[in-house]
Amino acid sequence: GAVVSQHPSWVICKSGTSVKIECRSLDFQATTMFWYRQFPKQSLMLMATSNEGSKATYEQGVEKDKFLINHASLTLSTLTVTSAHPEDSSFYICSARLAGGEKQFFGPGTRLTVL
Amino acid sequence: AQTVTQSQPEMSVQEAETVTLSCTYDTSESDYYLFWYKQPPSRQMILVIRQEAYKQQNATENRFSVNFQKAAKSFSLKISDSQLGDAAMYFCAYRSAGGTGNQFYFGTGTSLTVIP
């Protein structure tokens, strides 16, 4: 159990377009989901914390108008990269926290390439 | 804020031998969790081992064990009988216990090479 999926796993887009990435908890409810970004050969850096039914909390330096997060249900959080630029090219990973518990589980990640 | 430091960017080990990856952290909290995650080329984060700070006993998972020194804020990972499949990037991570947030704080990673 405790599976988290991300869709798409890989996306290539043109500069200026928007891209939506989904994070789903498949067999459990997640009141909190976290979005991380990982540049090549670097560590995971938290971008934002997403709570179901409320606004996301963004880390310092992360533009909330550029990285739109919606956590509309207990099993789905979406990250939309608006007006993507080549510098947004990265690996985006979500993790989902089990509702009522403390365990978290990572999704497989989404590789975004902006041309 | 919590910080996690991995001072070994790269490590190598001979197959079947033992290797230890180092990790130190800084926190003012008394209750927290520590983790080692493995990230193979697929980039999927795989939980290797987890330690609750309140437990004095070091966690073990088959060939993987930790040396948790709470006072020294040290959390090293020992891999015994290394296998080719152990080659990956290893991240040490910290997470607070309790509360409603609890994001992970990751170290910079150690790239482990296993030599046949």
Side-chain angles (χ1 to χ4, degrees), chain A residues 32 34 36 38-39 42-44 46 51 59 91 93 97 102-104 106-108 111, chain B residues 33 37 39 41-45 50 91 95 98-104 106-108:
Chain A
T32 304
F34 303 88
Y36 296 85
Q38 185 181 29
F39 291 109
Q42 293 189 26
S43 188
L44 284 74
L46 181 69
N51 291 299
E59 294 299 297
F91 194 68
I93 304 176
R97 176 176 175 168
E102 53 76 24
K103 289 190 175 181
Q104 292 186 32
F106 283 95
R111 183 184 302 277
Chain B
Y33 302 98
Y37 276 91
Q39 189 180 44
S42 68
R43 308 289 289 272
Q44 170 76 60
M45 297 293 281
R50 161 189 144 129
F91 290 100
R95 204 181 82 212
T100 57
N102 312 130
Q103 72 266 32
F104 286 94
F106 290 94
T108 50

Side-chain angles (χ1 to χ4, degrees), chain A residues 37-76:
Chain A
R37 181 166 54 186
Q38 185 181 29
F39 291 109
K41 300 193 177 184
Q42 293 189 26
S43 188
L44 284 74
M45 297 300 294
L46 181 69
M47 298 176 66
T49 302
S50 165
N51 291 299
E52 186 266 337
S54 63
K55 290 184 178 180
T57 303
Y58 291 81
E59 294 299 297
Q60 191 173 9
V62 178
E63 299 175 59
K64 62 180 181 180
D65 293 331
K66 179 170 184 63
F67 298 99
L68 301 178
I69 292 173
N70 185 295
H71 192 160
S73 78
L74 286 171
T75 59
L76 173 65

